[in-house]
Amino acid sequence: KKKEQIQFADDMQEFTKFPTKTGRRSLSRSISQSSTDSYSSAASYTDSSDDEVSPREKQQTNSKGSSNFCVKNIKQAEFGRREIEIAEQDMSALISLRKRAQGEKPLAGAKIVGCTHITAQTAVLIETLCALGAQCRWSACNIYSTQNEVAAALAEAGVAVFAWKGESEDDFWWCIDRCVNMDGWQANMILDDGGDLTHWVYKKYPNVFKKIRGIVEESVTGVHRLYQLSKAGKLCVPAMNVNDSVTKQKFDNLYCCRESILDGLKRTTDVMFGGKQVVVCGYGEVGKGCCAALKALGAIVYITEIDPICALQACMDGFRVVKLNEVIRQVDVVITCTGNKNVVTREHLDRMKNSCIVCNMGHSNTEIDVTSLRTPELTWERVRSQVDHVIWPDGKRVVLLAEGRLLNLSCSTVPTFVLSITATTQALALIELYNAPEGRYKQDVYLLPKKMDEYVASLHLPSFDAHLTELTDDQAKYLGLNKNGPFKPNYYR
């Protein structure tokens, strides 16, 4: 099976994240890399004692007698249900969407195959989609971010979920395949985070792919791959780029990272930020969020950036814009959030000072060249879950968090409220694509209509007791707007 995967990895050039000169890579390099590259240390990431038996070997059934799932331990379902109920308290917009649309069942007949982080918050989304009439089969887009008890609760509720924390690379693809490949059930919608599921269906099940009515993708990485497919003329279904909708960009990328960057760093290292020198690579929405939090705690922040507009924004916000090799010897913390690859190379790592902390806030684990550290002269010491000390021959240590994977989802949690905004956007995008009349969406990548962005935002205002001002007819006419929106043109950012 492994062999067969590697074979077709060779012809995946059009779908790889960034073309290489040779055009041939091993499978782990050609998928989004946010999700794989497991090493022997992976076992210590899991949170249960029975690691010896893979969930794939276990025969488990839920209380209704179904075994159409594969999770770590179905007995944890009750605990997971409580987690989901707590998440629902802070996801009022998604719940109100569920209540409003439950009667008309806008997703009746939709067979959604999904691949996202499996947490209490995404469980609220999955259950909302089911309440709106959809049938769902789900797998995880990251081998470490699954909450086992939540996966168990979903399985108990009858969702076909295939995921557990600490999967191997082989498990990861097996789970995706089990979601797609089921007798008598054929997916007609895809919800993806990172593009791995889309890629698997495109390569392995081209007949299923052709019949898909729409793809909803929520990450920079996955959207990049969709645009590559589209450019090559190989995208035969409409896709919705949720990542670049204003609600996702501003809330998930900016406000969410502003809160979770410190959480991830504090939980893993207990570092004090006042006076620390930190370099943040990339000043996009994620970078802006991280820098705002670090600055507020009194850190001295440097930025690296390739885009002159983002660089100028960083200057105006009071940050020094530098090249990484100008500050690498003096900084205490290095944070990457560029969406690129090899931003921190072995050369940079060699020049860092003792006990420098290195971590990644971007979706993919390609930003820090972790592979270059797996050489005989360097010693790896697992200090605690998600924290490795990499020790050089002269005794210098570099503190690497989550092996270069997404820090906030690997090492801490993400604010539920922010995820509610993204999840509501995803649900609306699925409803829009599934119910769109023939011909509204062609075989291309689309942005969510501005009107929907505004609707998502308006659903969240009641929880702040916020009151919107209404335009008078005269004012609306003066601005050339409809009183009910959209209030900004589609190109507004």
Side-chain angles (χ1 to χ4, degrees), residues 111-153:
K111 293 180 175 175
I112 303 170
V113 59
C115 180
T116 62
H117 299 283
I118 295 182
T119 59
Q121 293 85 2
T122 47
V124 179
L125 169 64
I126 295 166
E127 294 193 333
T128 300
L129 298 175
C130 293
L132 301 186
Q135 292 177 25
C136 295
R137 294 179 71 80
W138 228 262
S139 61
C141 72
N142 182 295
I143 57 178
Y144 295 141
S145 66
T146 301
Q147 292 177 321
N148 285 331
E149 66 281 6
V150 171

Side-chain angles (χ1 to χ4, degrees), residues 13 18-25 341:
Q13 193 51 39
F18 296 99
T20 55
K21 285 186 184 120
T22 58
R24 282 176 176 259
R25 317 164 163 208
K341 65 172 187 178

Side-chain angles (χ1 to χ4, degrees), residues 290-304:
C290 294
C291 292
L294 293 162
K295 185 180 184 179
L297 283 192
I300 300 156
V301 183
Y302 300 99
I303 307 291
T304 72

Side-chain angles (χ1 to χ4, degrees), residues 364-434:
S364 293
N365 64 349
T366 48
E367 307 209 12
I368 301 161
D369 187 5
V370 176
T371 318
S372 69
L373 294 175
R374 298 200 174 269
T375 51
E377 78 277 10
L378 301 183
T379 312
W380 282 62
E381 200 175 86
R382 172 54 56 96
V383 183
R384 56 174 90 148
S385 175
Q386 310 283 32
V387 184
D388 289 296
H389 281 188
V390 183
I391 306 162
W392 266 251
D394 63 358
K396 176 186 96 168
R397 287 167 183 254
V398 164
V399 183
L400 178 65
L401 305 184
E403 294 184 18
R405 285 186 182 78
L406 193 53
L407 175 79
N408 57 2
L409 276 159
S410 302
C411 304
S412 64
T413 52
V414 175
T416 303
F417 182 78
V418 165
L419 287 178
S420 171
I421 293 170
T422 303
T424 311
T425 310
Q426 287 170 308
L428 283 171
L430 284 165
I431 293 169
E432 170 67 17
L433 278 177
Y434 184 68

Side-chain angles (χ1 to χ4, degrees), residues 96-323:
S96 77
L97 178 69
R98 193 189 288 186
K99 284 179 184 151
R100 283 184 198 191
Q102 215 159 3
E104 63 203 59
K105 297 263 186 283
L107 289 174
K111 293 180 175 175
I112 303 170
V113 59
C115 180
T116 62
H117 299 283
I118 295 182
T119 59
Q121 293 85 2
T122 47
V124 179
L125 169 64
I126 295 166
E127 294 193 333
T128 300
L129 298 175
C130 293
L132 301 186
Q135 292 177 25
C136 295
R137 294 179 71 80
W138 228 262
S139 61
C141 72
N142 182 295
I143 57 178
Y144 295 141
S145 66
T146 301
Q147 292 177 321
N148 285 331
E149 66 281 6
V150 171
L154 285 169
E156 176 58 45
V159 178
V161 58
F162 299 85
W164 57 94
K165 190 181 177 85
E167 297 168 14
S168 68
E169 185 179 322
D170 186 52
D171 293 335
F172 172 78
W173 290 114
W174 178 84
C175 287
I176 287 180
D177 196 68
R178 282 292 305 271
C179 282
V180 183
N181 184 12
M182 186 201 172
D183 291 342
W185 193 92
Q186 188 168 315
N188 53 24
M189 298 293 290
I190 289 176
L191 177 61
D192 207 355
D193 182 350
D196 289 326
L197 168 63
T198 304
H199 157 73
W200 188 259
V201 179
Y202 170 75
K203 278 292 175 191
K204 295 278 280 190
Y205 302 99
N207 292 337
V208 176
F209 193 75
K210 286 188 191 97
K211 290 180 185 149
I212 295 281
R213 285 166 70 164
I215 299 168
V216 175
E217 170 57 61
E218 75 149 318
S219 75
V220 177
T221 310
V223 165
H224 178 77
R225 297 164 86 183
L226 280 174
Y227 282 122
Q228 281 184 326
L229 259 193
S230 175
K231 216 171 175 178
K234 294 184 176 166
L235 185 67
C236 53
V237 293
M240 195 73 88
N241 165 1
V242 170
N243 178 68
D244 292 308
S245 65
V246 180
T247 36
K248 164 78 165 76
Q249 279 287 337
K250 286 282 178 277
F251 294 86
D252 206 347
N253 298 11
L254 177 76
Y255 300 124
C256 175
C257 295
R258 188 172 74 182
E259 305 223 356
S260 59
I261 175 70
L262 302 177
D263 187 13
L265 282 164
K266 290 273 190 198
R267 285 195 203 197
T268 46
T269 63
D270 301 315
V271 63
M272 174 112 180
F273 287 100
K276 285 283 189 300
Q277 299 198 40
V278 183
V279 61
V280 176
C281 303
Y283 199 66
E285 298 296 345
V286 174
K288 288 180 175 75
C290 294
C291 292
L294 293 162
K295 185 180 184 179
L297 283 192
I300 300 156
V301 183
Y302 300 99
I303 307 291
T304 72
E305 188 46 82
I306 58 163
D307 179 337
I309 298 174
C310 293
L312 185 58
Q313 285 179 304
C315 295
M316 296 302 289
D317 289 336
F319 300 113
R320 282 279 314 279
V321 178
V322 296
K323 287 184 174 174

Side-chain angles (χ1 to χ4, degrees), residues 16 123 253 326 336 447 492:
T16 51
N253 298 11
E326 294 167 9
T336 58
L447 285 171
Y492 175 79

